[in-house]
Amino acid sequence: MVLACGGSGSYFYFMMVEIPQILADKIKTAQHVVVSTGAGVSAESGVPTFRGEDGIWKKMNPEELASIDGFMRNPDLVWEWYQHRRKIVSEVQPNPGHFAIAEMENLFPRFTLITQNVDNLHYRAGSSEVLELHGNITRNKCLDCNTFYDEEIDLEAGLPTCSCGGRIRPDVVWFGEMLPTRVLEAAFRAAEDADLFFTVGTSALIQPAASLPQIALRSGAFVVEVNIEPTPMTGHVGAFLQGKSGEVLPRVIEIIRGQ
Ligand code: OAD
């Protein structure tokens, strides 16, 4: 809803995010709140999303850049792409959506944050624990022995290798790979246990992440979707808050604080 108020010939426009009463009521009584985010939550920070008009997968081939076969075929290309994405995420800042989510963990008896994003922006915004379903682009690990490496990669020094001789790769989940078991199990448990579940900035197309709001629904949670446009989940949720997460979520915080 856009409100305009004017005086002496000048007009100021305020974008108001309307929070339905039923959600305001659920917020007041919620015991375990779960937020599950996708690329859209970082869009306002300047991190490209994957699908849609300017989505990464419109210009790049996921088979080449985000699969183990692609990495084995051409590790130089995959590393160059990840170094490029690392540069992007290191140069951007968390946005009001990330900060609102970080604040939420102090406002409910129990809170769980799940993300498909690998950009580390939730941690940088102050979230203390993030179930990172698809890994974290700031970390690396050995393909053979799984040893983690935090050091910066310098491709000019050659492709990185582990002390065991194995190839080092970014610690992200590629297509066709298993998600980290402990993280996925914790995400499923949280979805089953939630009484209020927010699905934020995801196209709700990629499994198993897309099943989390469905599990929450089946377990009786009130599910809220925050997105700039409808998704396959929209018809099933209790409330669809259409708008940018950086605008909608700070408004949700105001409601939680009773303002
Ligand atoms: P997508 O790119 O598929 O979807 C991004 C969603 O964010 C879309 O539904 C947009 O409408 C929405 N969106 C864009 N800007 C927004 C904003 N400012 N506020 C709220 N919503 C906004 O990204 P994901 O659903 O995260 O996996 O994609 C899931 C997975 O597919 C990714 O983790 C990645 C990708 O392939 C791997 O790389 C394994």
Side-chain angles (χ1 to χ4, degrees):
M1 185 171 80
V2 179
L3 290 183
C5 56
S8 57
S10 62
Y11 282 84
F12 305 96
Y13 289 88
F14 301 98
M15 201 56 115
M16 297 281 290
V17 179
E18 283 188 73
I19 305 290
Q21 188 57 43
I22 183 169
L23 172 56
D25 293 343
K26 296 281 175 192
I27 282 171
K28 282 189 202 125
T29 56
Q31 292 298 305
H32 185 185
V33 174
V34 175
V35 174
S36 180
T37 66
V41 80
S42 298
E44 289 155 84
S45 294
V47 182
T49 59
F50 292 94
R51 297 170 185 82
E53 293 266 301
D54 298 320
I56 290 175
W57 299 145
K58 280 273 150 77
K59 297 167 235 156
M60 311 298 224
N61 180 354
E63 307 269 298
E64 259 177 33
L65 298 171
S67 76
I68 189 67
D69 289 347
F71 182 67
M72 297 313 270
R73 263 195 311 270
N74 196 342
D76 296 86
L77 177 75
V78 174
W79 264 117
E80 266 171 41
W81 191 62
Y82 276 91
Q83 290 296 80
H84 165 71
R85 285 183 64 199
R86 271 181 188 164
K87 188 164 180 298
I88 293 175
V89 302
S90 71
E91 288 171 354
V92 302
Q93 299 303 324
N95 68 57
H98 296 107
F99 288 118
I101 293 168
E103 210 177 330
M104 274 186 186
E105 73 180 42
N106 302 315
L107 300 175
F108 294 101
R110 288 178 62 214
F111 181 81
T112 306
L113 174 57
I114 305 166
T115 190
Q116 296 171 79
N117 299 344
V118 298
D119 59 26
N120 206 37
L121 287 176
H122 285 302
Y123 278 121
R124 286 177 58 200
S127 287
S128 62
E129 194 185 352
V130 191
L131 296 174
E132 295 176 313
L133 295 175
H134 294 169
N136 186 314
I137 199 170
T138 64
R139 289 192 307 256
N140 307 298
K141 67 176 182 186
C142 173
L143 202 55
D144 291 347
C145 70
N146 267 326
T147 301
F148 286 99
Y149 286 87
D150 286 331
E151 298 87 50
E152 292 215 349
I153 301 292
D154 176 10
L155 288 183
E156 295 200 352
L159 287 175
T161 46
C162 178
S163 49
C164 81
R167 287 183 186 185
I168 292 176
R169 57 167 282 180
D171 183 21
V172 297
V173 175
W174 284 329
F175 287 101
E177 291 186 319
M178 299 285 285
L179 274 64
T181 310
R182 186 197 64 80
V183 175
L184 185 60
E185 283 175 0
F188 280 139
R189 272 198 308 275
E192 277 167 13
D193 186 60
D195 49 12
L196 179 56
F197 187 105
F198 289 85
T199 172
V200 182
T202 173
S203 54
L205 293 171
I206 299 300
Q207 294 294 356
S211 66
L212 294 170
Q214 290 165 356
I215 291 171
L217 269 180
R218 278 202 298 275
S219 308
F222 188 79
V223 176
V224 184
E225 182 174 47
V226 179
N227 203 305
I228 52 170
E229 61 188 24
T231 73
M233 263 317 285
T234 307
H236 307 280
V237 298
F240 175 50
L241 305 181
Q242 187 160 16
K244 294 181 176 179
S245 47
E247 292 169 5
V248 174
L249 293 174
R251 180 75 191 112
V252 170
I253 294 290
E254 285 176 6
I255 297 287
I256 300 170
R257 290 193 181 286
Q259 292 157 359

